[in-house]
Amino acid sequence: MNLNSIRLNPEQKLAVDTINGALLIIAGAGSGKTGVITTRIANMLNHGIPQSNILALTFTNKAAREMEERVKVLTGKKLSNLTVSTFHAFGVKILREHYTDMGFRPNFSIYDTHDQLACLKEAARELKLKYEQPELMELSHLFSGIKTERIQWDNTNDQHKALYKEYEEHMRIYNAVDFDDLITLPIKLLEERPDILEKFQNKYRYIMVDEFQDTSLIQYKMLYLLAQKYRNICCVGDDDQSIYSWRGANYGNILQYEKDFPEVQEIKLERNYRSTGTILKAANAVIANNTNRKLKELWTELSHNEMTIKHCLPEDDREEGEFIASTIASIRMQDHMKYDQFGILIRTNSLAKALEDALLTHNIPYTMSGGTSFFQRAEIRDIIGYLRVISNPDDDVNLMRIINTPRRGIGKKALETLVTNAQARGLSLYSTLTDMMYDQNSGITSQLRAGLGEFMELIEDFRDRFAEAEEENKKILAATTQELVEEIGYWDYLLQEHSNNDKVAKWKYDNIAMFVEFMSRWEKNSDNMEPTLQKYLNRITLVTRDENEEEAGKVNLMTIHASKGLEFDVVFLAGVERDIIPHARSVAEDPANMEEERRLFYVAITRARKKLFITSCMKRKQMREMIDSGPSPFLEEIPTDLLEEMELEVEVEDPDEAKKYFARLPWK
């Protein structure tokens, strides 16, 4: 493998060649950091470092897949022993290897947000507490903060300690973990078991971390534990792009890293390969107003037929949507561009409606981030629920979901009896169900016994079928799942549920067919050496957390947060107004959030490759009321020679209206 043919600038080459010791790579937006990371891994392999000794961590499955594929292309090898993973998937790996050391049984379940809230609701019911869904969400966030050490118990939240303990106990009984557990439990294991810590330290002697500024305190703690013995750790990130403090990211980890590894070597990647000089000058000017940052200044040799950044002031959000949609249509025709080369970025999802209306009016295809995931659709969740119970019968949340779907005559009273008995015995619902079925004095009716018996026979039958398929590696998980769908009569159930619209039933059933097809492709993939039901279920849970999945051939409408890591030839920043960015509530909660709001604006600017349009409405509709708005103060930080006021092409017949229109153009 000859890496000399790969074109690297001097700073990139130094980063690639520095493979031993602690390294901090400050990688500015568009500086080619993914290429540096993957080339560095290839170089490590070139120097005889075994694949099995390398651990590369990132934040989304998509990023991990891209990284792994690039290394495969560079090396021409399968790299079956190389670990490129998200933090959470790596946590699953540790848990899978040491579940008995942490008191779990085989085939533990990973609860997603829906399952977690259902479990929390059950725990509250046990304590005779009742919460509405929004309250459960707040409690879930509180417990996540407690578990990940972002929040401490104090006199403002002590009253929830009993529920937290009950929730944890329910999770243990259900043989389940939540997403926070995927990080906190491995840390607990590594801290309490020096022998296991040493095992992982010896295995992963070389560690690389992408998007280091997005790591949380506990993720950094995991990294520190793993790296402190051999100290071969490379962290790649950009403090100017730290925009996720609300979900635990702590860009202060960069300072902590320098403190814990004082020998660290720092390399800055400031050459940008994405944007025009005008866009970069604007971004540099804005971010320079932040004080807590590493000094850096992006530069480029690209021109892209450079143009100024265009700023316009529509009267309201309707006019803003019309301007953006018509401009997209015009540029697409003139420059022969594809729709997916356009990005529309907004600070919050609430700004999307008028933009969507305009795009629909102009027949412009678009994809909106933050919609319902395929795997979160009710019909898909039902089938996944069956598969989870088949894999782990102690999964009470999913058992409650499917036990009467399709309906088996198991009423509310029967379920309450089942839950009461399970709690009294300290057993899972399925174990209690088994006991009750064989106990002639359990008090259940013959009709109910028949319904429950049919359900249990179904579960046990498919447990055997999947087990046989896995033992002989027949790669028929998808076929067995299709048999399950047919045997439970899910098509008839959909027809009954949507008796007034069989098209909806067919659409939902087609989704299930697509789910089965996804499973079939996965298990037949030549790189998938051990296709098991549990692995597929864990994969679904992890994959469905990913954001920013690209959809070809459509304009990308998304929040600025969701746009991180992406780039578009033409970007529209909509709603760049006071109280929107910087967000009034965010700054009111903590004035220090002003710097993160500025970083968010910086990220938005640097998504643009060739053209950048910024819109600021003079009025905006909020809660059915039109309120005065106006440009964001961040726009005043962009040098005037880089920002061109753009006149909207509108017809104004009323002289008074014309005066008002022209009066608002020179806003500074």
Side-chain angles (χ1 to χ4, degrees):
M1 173 177 50
N2 183 8
L3 298 179
N4 292 327
S5 59
I6 300 173
R7 295 181 61 183
L8 300 169
N9 66 41
E11 293 76 22
Q12 290 175 330
K13 189 171 190 318
L14 179 60
V16 166
D17 290 340
T18 307
I19 58 179
N20 291 301
L23 182 63
L24 175 61
I25 302 174
I26 301 297
S31 61
K33 71 176 176 65
T34 304
V36 169
I37 292 170
T38 51
T39 307
R40 187 174 185 273
I41 293 173
N43 193 35
M44 292 162 74
L45 296 172
N46 219 19
H47 280 76
I49 296 172
Q51 297 175 29
S52 58
N53 286 162
I54 299 173
L55 170 64
L57 294 171
T58 186
F59 279 84
T60 67
N61 288 285
K62 179 184 172 185
R65 286 194 302 270
E66 181 185 354
M67 198 181 294
E68 189 171 7
E69 284 304 313
R70 285 210 199 182
V71 179
K72 284 180 180 178
V73 170
L74 283 172
T75 61
K77 298 177 181 177
K78 277 196 169 183
L79 304 178
S80 55
N81 292 320
L82 179 68
T83 303
V84 182
S85 167
T86 65
F87 278 89
H88 289 93
F90 182 65
V92 172
K93 179 181 175 66
I94 295 177
L95 288 173
R96 193 180 288 134
E97 288 184 30
H98 292 279
Y99 61 86
T100 54
D101 294 300
M102 287 178 279
F104 289 99
R105 301 183 294 281
N107 289 352
F108 59 85
S109 294
I110 303 173
Y111 277 9
D112 62 13
T113 303
H114 293 271
D115 295 335
Q116 188 180 346
L117 290 174
C119 181
L120 186 55
K121 191 174 184 179
E122 283 295 316
R125 187 178 291 130
E126 174 73 13
L127 297 177
K128 295 182 169 53
L129 300 171
K130 188 175 182 180
Y131 296 103
E132 298 299 324
Q133 194 71 5
E135 296 172 305
L136 288 173
M137 286 293 293
E138 283 187 25
L139 286 167
S140 174
H141 292 319
L142 169 65
F143 293 170
S144 174
I146 295 291
K147 193 176 288 190
T148 57
E149 302 175 12
R150 290 182 289 122
I151 300 174
Q152 303 298 319
W153 290 115
D154 57 32
N155 56 12
T156 67
N157 54 40
D158 273 345
Q159 69 271 29
H160 300 302
K161 271 188 177 180
L163 179 57
Y164 179 78
K165 184 178 178 182
E166 191 67 31
Y167 166 73
E168 290 288 275
E169 183 64 19
H170 272 63
M171 293 290 284
R172 185 188 64 78
I173 292 170
Y174 296 167
N175 196 35
V177 295
D178 60 29
F179 277 104
D180 291 324
D181 291 328
L182 299 182
I183 307 295
T184 59
L185 289 177
I187 288 174
K188 188 171 186 289
L189 178 72
L190 297 175
E191 288 181 327
E192 294 178 355
R193 291 286 301 273
D195 56 324
I196 295 175
L197 173 60
E198 188 171 21
K199 166 193 160 183
F200 282 102
Q201 287 176 332
N202 290 337
K203 179 174 176 60
Y204 299 112
R205 302 187 181 204
Y206 292 84
I207 299 172
M208 290 194 67
V209 189
D210 189 17
E211 303 288 6
F212 183 55
Q213 77 283 345
D214 292 337
T215 53
S216 65
L217 289 171
I218 59 166
Q219 286 168 336
Y220 177 74
K221 184 183 286 189
M222 177 188 279
L223 291 172
Y224 177 72
L225 285 168
L226 293 170
Q228 62 178 323
K229 182 176 181 181
Y230 292 99
R231 307 181 79 79
N232 295 316
I233 177 169
C234 172
C235 296
V236 185
D238 180 7
D239 53 337
D240 287 339
Q241 296 186 71
S242 179
I243 59 173
Y244 295 118
S245 64
W246 49 275
R247 70 181 190 195
N250 188 339
Y251 75 96
N253 283 344
I254 293 177
L255 298 176
Q256 188 61 44
Y257 175 52
E258 292 174 321
K259 182 179 177 181
D260 291 335
F261 296 85
E263 73 275 24
V264 66
Q265 179 178 349
E266 181 182 299
I267 299 171
K268 289 181 183 176
L269 305 181
E270 297 172 286
R271 180 172 177 178
N272 177 283
Y273 293 89
R274 174 190 298 160
S275 307
T276 66
T278 297
I279 291 169
L280 294 182
K281 286 174 187 174
N284 287 332
V286 168
I287 204 63
N289 290 277
N290 274 6
T291 55
N292 299 314
R293 62 184 292 263
K294 293 269 187 183
L295 291 178
K296 71 185 80 67
E297 186 159 330
L298 300 180
W299 63 277
T300 185
E301 291 182 348
L302 301 175
S303 63
H304 295 314
N305 297 318
E306 212 160 318
M307 60 173 261
T308 54
I309 298 167
K310 307 296 184 184
H311 177 243
C312 73
L313 295 135
E315 179 65 27
D316 54 25
D317 53 0
R318 182 204 60 76
E319 194 174 272
E320 177 182 54
E322 173 62 27
F323 164 72
I324 290 174
S326 59
T327 304
I328 288 173
S330 175
I331 293 175
R332 179 175 173 270
M333 291 294 290
Q334 290 174 8
D335 297 351
H336 307 289
M337 295 175 67
K338 298 177 181 177
Y339 282 123
D340 57 12
Q341 292 173 275
F342 295 87
I344 306 172
L345 310 186
I346 50 180
R347 174 63 179 86
T348 65
N349 274 318
S350 62
L351 302 178
K353 189 178 185 310
L355 298 170
E356 291 187 79
D357 287 344
L359 293 170
L360 289 169
T361 300
H362 283 259
N363 294 316
I364 295 175
Y366 71 95
T367 176
M368 173 70 194
S369 70
T372 302
S373 160
F374 175 81
F375 294 100
Q376 298 299 329
R377 299 186 189 280
E379 62 276 13
I380 303 301
R381 287 182 63 80
D382 285 343
I383 303 307
I384 290 174
Y386 272 95
L387 296 176
R388 290 200 188 285
V389 172
I390 289 166
S391 174
N392 172 21
D394 294 321
D395 186 339
D396 285 12
V397 168
N398 279 295
L399 186 138
M400 289 292 284
R401 180 184 185 93
I402 66 169
I403 195 168
N404 209 26
T405 305
R407 292 179 177 81
R408 298 183 174 87
I410 303 170
K412 181 181 178 183
K413 188 175 180 181
L415 291 175
E416 287 176 350
T417 301
L418 177 61
V419 170
T420 301
N421 276 306
Q423 291 171 346
R425 301 176 191 210
L427 298 172
S428 70
L429 294 178
Y430 195 84
S431 297
T432 304
L433 199 58
T434 305
D435 288 354
M436 290 174 66
M437 287 297 295
Y438 289 102
D439 181 0
Q440 295 304 316
N441 299 316
S442 61
I444 59 176
T445 65
S446 57
Q447 182 180 358
L448 179 58
R449 189 182 296 274
L452 292 173
E454 179 186 329
F455 173 74
M456 293 184 70
E457 284 178 18
L458 176 86
I459 298 299
E460 292 301 324
D461 178 30
F462 275 93
R463 278 176 66 79
D464 292 340
R465 293 196 210 181
F466 278 106
E468 182 185 349
E470 290 174 6
E471 281 177 19
E472 300 182 17
N473 200 15
K474 293 180 178 178
K475 296 196 174 184
I476 56 168
L477 294 183
T480 308
T481 301
Q482 182 59 42
E483 292 170 10
L484 172 68
V485 173
E486 293 168 3
E487 289 198 28
I488 63 176
Y490 202 81
W491 169 240
D492 292 334
Y493 165 72
L494 288 174
L495 287 174
Q496 291 169 8
E497 289 292 298
H498 304 280
S499 55
N500 295 328
N501 192 345
D502 60 0
K503 288 183 179 178
V504 173
K506 185 177 185 309
W507 180 76
K508 287 178 175 288
Y509 201 76
D510 286 345
N511 284 339
I512 292 172
M514 190 178 296
F515 171 75
V516 173
E517 176 61 24
F518 287 166
M519 182 184 280
S520 177
R521 289 180 202 166
W522 174 80
E523 67 177 342
K524 290 176 182 175
N525 188 315
S526 58
D527 290 338
N528 191 357
M529 304 300 291
E530 191 184 353
T532 65
L533 180 58
Q534 187 201 4
K535 278 192 173 182
Y536 188 69
L537 292 173
N538 286 346
R539 176 179 179 271
I540 289 172
T541 309
L542 293 168
V543 166
T544 52
R545 280 171 61 87
D546 275 4
E547 299 174 346
N548 309 337
E549 289 295 335
E550 291 177 300
E551 194 166 342
K554 297 182 179 180
V555 170
N556 298 270
L557 171 59
M558 59 181 60
T559 63
I560 301 171
H561 282 101
S563 74
K564 186 159 177 296
L566 303 179
E567 59 183 70
F568 306 99
D569 284 340
V570 182
V571 166
F572 294 84
L573 304 186
V576 182
E577 298 154 28
R578 61 174 181 264
D579 296 339
I580 293 179
I581 185 165
H583 199 277
R585 188 176 64 212
S586 176
V587 176
E589 288 174 357
D590 184 355
N593 287 338
M594 178 65 83
E595 295 220 341
E596 179 152 336
E597 289 291 312
R598 187 177 281 110
R599 291 195 293 270
L600 194 60
F601 188 51
Y602 171 82
V603 166
I605 292 172
T606 55
R607 298 312 93 198
R609 295 184 65 238
K610 300 178 180 179
K611 296 180 180 180
L612 176 60
F613 295 86
I614 298 175
T615 57
S616 309
C617 293
M618 302 308 294
K619 295 181 183 293
R620 186 170 290 278
K621 200 170 190 178
Q622 286 188 8
M623 303 294 290
R624 299 184 180 180
E625 184 181 352
M626 194 66 78
I627 64 168
D628 288 335
S629 192
S632 163
F634 287 157
L635 289 172
E636 297 179 18
E637 299 174 357
I638 298 177
T640 54
D641 61 317
L642 303 178
L643 197 65
E644 178 185 345
E645 297 301 333
M646 186 175 181
E647 295 185 17
L648 290 170
E649 293 182 5
V650 294
E651 294 181 10
V652 183
E653 297 178 0
D654 187 333
D656 292 333
E657 286 296 315
K659 287 178 183 177
K660 283 193 287 184
Y661 173 75
F662 286 108
R664 71 179 189 247
L665 286 176
W667 60 276
K668 34 178 169 175

